[in-house]
Amino acid sequence: PAIGAERVYLDISTTETRKIKIAVPWFQNKNLSGQKQKLGRDLADTLAKALKFHGIISIIPTSDYGGTQNANWSSLGADYAILANYTPTASAIKFEMRLYDVAGKEVIMGKSFSGTMQQKDKIIFKFCDSVIESLTGSPGIAATRIAFVNRKDSIKEVYLTDILGKEFRQVTRHKHLTVSPRFVPKSNYLTYSSYHTGNQNLYITDLNQSKTTRALSRRKGLNLAPAWSPDGRFMILTLSKNGSPDLYLTDYKGKIIEQLTNRAGINVSPTWSPDGNYIVFVSDRSGKPQLYLMDFRTRKVRRLTYEGSENAEPSWSPTANLIVYSSLRNGVYQLFTLDPLQNKPPEQVTEDLSHHESPSWSPDGQQIIFAKRDGKRNQIYCIMKNGSYQRRIFTLSGSQTYPRWSR
């Protein structure tokens, strides 16, 4: 504890931070000491990719030192090395992993894990998050989940994956159009809207199982894209049961408590502040879609965006007063961030000439996930909130949209 109290954590929110250099040599099989193992190389590779994904770490290539665990780390310029071994049995695997501080010449964190062979990636992701926490003071995001919609032909279904796209799980099997997955906070539930009955209804499914799903709202017209309150007890739904799409506050079972907007144009895409005191939503009451802020305590509304011909799809950071949204500029949807509570101009995040849509935050508030148009298809990309390190995070046949991210 005393060592932890003295540690100086890296501030990953600053834009000019030098990346931490980490060596991840091949994991050593304890049963076969000295022999290089393919599994040991693959495990080290997964950990290296998960660390690099955080955007604050640069990995020293194993080709610089042959992947061995007894290299001269300081001469390689490493700040840290991760020294890991594993013991495989017929169906299980045991790990011992240590984070070594090169300058301090000491192990600053060590963990042991055991699990089935199928769980090995999850264990690696968990250890990665502990490494990030040791370096920055906040847990990493390797062991998180990403939901998205995949379109094949004319069918759209919801899928889940991990940050590296190593494993995919199909959540819905309606063989129809499914849109807008939303994780329910503080739970293992996911909501989505589907047209498979002929009306766009809202459904909820327990991700601990894969057999059943139940309807939350089946009102005539739209039942779309809820913003869940931070405590998971309430949601704000877009309903068009009276004609024009409006926002309604409901309980977690879908029972209407209050109508929040009243036919002043189209009102959609609500997103809740982490403290529950505000929402940002999209309305075309002024002619074109723009972002509006509602103070949830007074129900007062004010317009937030004035630049760009359309502004849509806001998402409020889980850790700060910052929203990300897509803005139509010169015919291209670009991502911008904006503090909805301050009178500061928005900051542009993307600049390349592809459409960037459906942005959503990483659980640590450092990265933004979005759908990027590539010709006729969309793929899921990620970018640091300062606009650096844009990359596609996985490849999958079909077209991927509506990404969402959760612990």
Side-chain angles (χ1 to χ4, degrees):
I3 294 171
E6 291 164 14
R7 287 197 61 72
V8 177
Y9 292 120
L10 182 86
D11 179 6
I12 59 174
S13 60
T14 56
T15 53
E16 300 305 319
T17 309
R18 173 181 82 80
K19 288 193 176 176
I20 311 168
K21 291 184 178 170
I22 298 186
V24 187
W26 298 329
F27 287 26
Q28 188 63 56
N29 185 335
K30 276 183 101 171
N31 296 340
L32 302 160
S33 57
Q35 291 184 36
K36 291 170 185 171
Q37 294 285 307
K38 183 182 184 304
L39 178 58
R41 288 200 299 271
D42 291 346
L43 293 166
D45 184 56
T46 298
L47 179 55
K49 282 177 178 163
L51 287 164
K52 186 185 176 196
F53 187 91
H54 289 78
I56 57 167
I57 285 165
S58 110
I59 301 293
I60 294 171
T62 50
S63 57
D64 287 5
Y65 56 93
T68 176
Q69 292 202 359
N70 50 17
N72 184 334
W73 304 123
S74 55
S75 72
L76 287 161
D79 299 307
Y80 300 91
I82 290 171
L83 307 173
N85 58 51
Y86 65 100
T87 312
T89 60
S91 59
I93 188 164
K94 243 168 106 170
F95 291 98
E96 289 169 9
M97 300 186 254
R98 299 183 301 287
L99 176 63
Y100 178 72
D101 179 345
V102 175
K105 295 183 178 173
E106 61 175 346
V107 171
I108 56 171
M109 189 266 291
K111 298 232 180 230
S112 297
F113 297 95
S114 55
T116 65
M117 272 298 188
Q118 281 76 32
Q119 293 171 321
K120 64 182 184 301
D121 288 341
K122 283 185 176 159
I123 291 170
I124 298 285
F125 289 153
K126 208 170 171 185
F127 180 71
C128 174
D129 289 345
S130 298
V131 171
I132 298 295
E133 186 166 19
S134 291
L135 301 177
T136 68
S138 300
I141 52 170
T144 54
R145 301 173 294 179
I146 292 164
F148 62 94
V149 170
N150 191 40
R151 188 192 82 217
K152 283 186 179 174
D153 302 320
S154 60
I155 292 171
K156 292 183 178 180
E157 302 282 15
V158 176
Y159 285 73
L160 288 178
T161 191
D162 54 79
I163 60 156
L164 301 182
K166 286 179 80 71
E167 216 175 286
F168 294 95
R169 173 182 162 193
Q170 186 174 338
V171 176
T172 62
R173 297 180 190 278
H174 295 305
K175 297 185 171 58
H176 213 283
L177 297 181
T178 307
V179 295
S180 304
R182 298 282 188 273
F183 289 101
V184 182
K186 297 179 167 46
S187 81
N188 210 33
Y189 286 88
L190 182 88
T191 55
Y192 61 90
S193 297
S194 175
Y195 292 84
H196 68 275
T197 62
N199 192 57
Q200 191 213 55
N201 295 336
L202 179 70
Y203 297 87
I204 188 166
T205 187
D206 181 350
L207 294 172
N208 286 324
Q209 53 86 53
S210 51
K211 289 197 172 101
T212 60
T213 184
R214 62 185 168 83
L216 267 185
S217 180
R218 288 191 280 214
R219 298 167 177 101
K220 187 184 172 194
L222 297 175
N223 296 268
L224 184 61
W228 285 94
S229 60
D231 61 9
R233 291 172 56 215
F234 301 96
M235 56 182 169
I236 298 171
L237 260 178
T238 298
L239 301 174
S240 62
K241 62 190 184 70
N242 297 329
S244 181
D246 273 306
L247 301 180
Y248 292 78
L249 177 68
T250 79
D251 66 12
Y252 69 96
K253 292 180 176 174
K255 183 184 175 194
I256 292 174
I257 297 168
E258 182 186 346
Q259 183 171 345
L260 298 174
T261 61
N262 198 354
R263 290 192 291 285
I266 289 167
N267 300 280
V268 294
S269 304
T271 181
W272 223 307
S273 64
D275 62 9
N277 289 336
Y278 299 90
I279 63 166
V280 168
F281 63 97
V282 176
S283 177
D284 67 354
R285 61 187 65 181
S286 61
K288 288 281 177 76
Q290 299 292 346
L291 304 190
Y292 289 79
L293 176 75
M294 179 186 286
D295 186 325
F296 217 62
R297 298 159 298 187
T298 63
R299 303 296 195 259
K300 282 191 175 154
V301 173
R302 71 177 175 88
R303 183 171 163 181
L304 287 177
T305 52
Y306 292 89
E307 299 169 37
S309 47
E310 282 181 22
N311 293 288
E313 305 180 307
S315 175
W316 203 308
S317 164
T319 60
N321 283 328
L322 200 63
I323 55 167
V324 62
Y325 60 97
S326 58
S327 182
L328 189 56
R329 306 288 174 107
N330 302 316
V332 178
Y333 284 105
Q334 301 287 6
L335 301 186
F336 282 76
T337 55
L338 174 70
D339 183 336
L341 306 183
Q342 302 278 341
N343 281 329
K344 290 181 187 165
E347 292 190 13
Q348 189 163 348
V349 179
T350 60
E351 293 179 343
D352 56 288
L353 298 178
S354 300
H355 289 305
H356 310 77
E357 297 169 279
S358 308
S360 180
W361 290 94
S362 60
D364 64 354
Q366 297 296 333
Q367 306 198 41
I368 297 159
I369 195 171
F370 60 96
K372 184 169 177 172
R373 187 108 35 105
D374 178 15
K376 288 186 176 175
R377 65 188 292 230
N378 291 289
Q379 292 185 290
I380 306 300
Y381 276 69
C382 210
I383 194 168
M384 304 302 285
K385 68 179 177 186
N386 65 11
S388 66
Y389 194 30
Q390 182 182 157
R391 74 276 186 204
R392 188 178 62 198
I393 58 173
F394 59 79
T395 52
L396 187 65
S397 64
S399 181
Q400 296 87 43
T401 50
Y402 299 107
R404 288 279 156 161
W405 207 336
S406 175
R407 288 209 181 273

